[in-house]
């Protein structure tokens, strides 16, 4: 049985918070991409809140890297917060962890 998945967007002045719960994989990452694509990152901070993420595969990693590049290209900022073991493990094993600005929680 597949875990429940949810993505929630909350916009504030100068920042948006995208909270993800469930598995980040080939079946769910398109929903996160759709949600983030709808946001302007120009001069904004995008906070990707992942404390509810229960799993992340290479598709999730690719999505994070693409989002990081998009934020850089649009003069925005990406912060990843609430990184628990499932996500941290992938970021550390691939050497990608230092590429992201991380904060413990909101």
């Amino acid at each position: 049985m597949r875990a429940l998945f949810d993505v929630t967007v909350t916009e504030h002045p100068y920042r948006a918070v995208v909270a993800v719960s469930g598995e980040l994989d080939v079946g769910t990452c398109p929903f996160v991409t759709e949600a983030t694509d709808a946001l302007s990152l120009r001069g904004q901070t995008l906070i990707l809140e992942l404390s509810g993420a229960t799993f992340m595969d290479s598709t999730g990693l690719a999505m994070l890297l693409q989002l990081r590049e998009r934020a850089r290209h649009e003069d925005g900022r990406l912060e990843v917060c609430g990184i628990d073991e499932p996500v941290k493990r992938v970021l550390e094993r691939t050497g990608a962890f230092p590429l992201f600005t991380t904060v413990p929680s909101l």
Side-chain angles (χ1 to χ4, degrees), residues 31 41 57:
F31 296 108
L41 300 183
D57 66 7

Side-chain angles (χ1 to χ4, degrees), residues 18-39:
V18 176
V20 176
S21 62
E23 298 181 354
L24 282 169
D25 59 21
V26 70
T28 60
C29 284
F31 296 108
V32 180
T33 300
E34 180 180 353
T36 58
D37 281 354
L39 301 169

Side-chain angles (χ1 to χ4, degrees), residues 71-90:
R72 188 184 67 76
H73 185 281
E74 293 183 19
D75 295 323
R77 179 175 169 89
L78 173 64
E79 294 181 355
V80 184
C81 76
I83 297 176
D84 287 332
E85 275 309 307
V87 174
K88 186 177 182 182
R89 185 172 33 252
V90 172

Side-chain angles (χ1 to χ4, degrees), residues 34-98:
E34 180 180 353
T36 58
D37 281 354
L39 301 169
S40 171
L41 300 183
R42 193 154 311 280
Q44 301 286 322
T45 298
L46 173 60
I47 301 170
L48 194 57
E49 209 290 315
L50 299 178
S51 64
T54 57
F55 172 82
M56 185 172 84
D57 66 7
S58 61
T59 309
L61 175 61
M63 179 201 66
L64 289 177
L65 291 168
Q66 289 169 352
L67 193 52
R68 175 183 174 268
E69 182 62 21
R70 179 178 161 227
R72 188 184 67 76
H73 185 281
E74 293 183 19
D75 295 323
R77 179 175 169 89
L78 173 64
E79 294 181 355
V80 184
C81 76
I83 297 176
D84 287 332
E85 275 309 307
V87 174
K88 186 177 182 182
R89 185 172 33 252
V90 172
L91 294 175
E92 287 179 339
R93 288 184 180 169
T94 60
F97 194 87

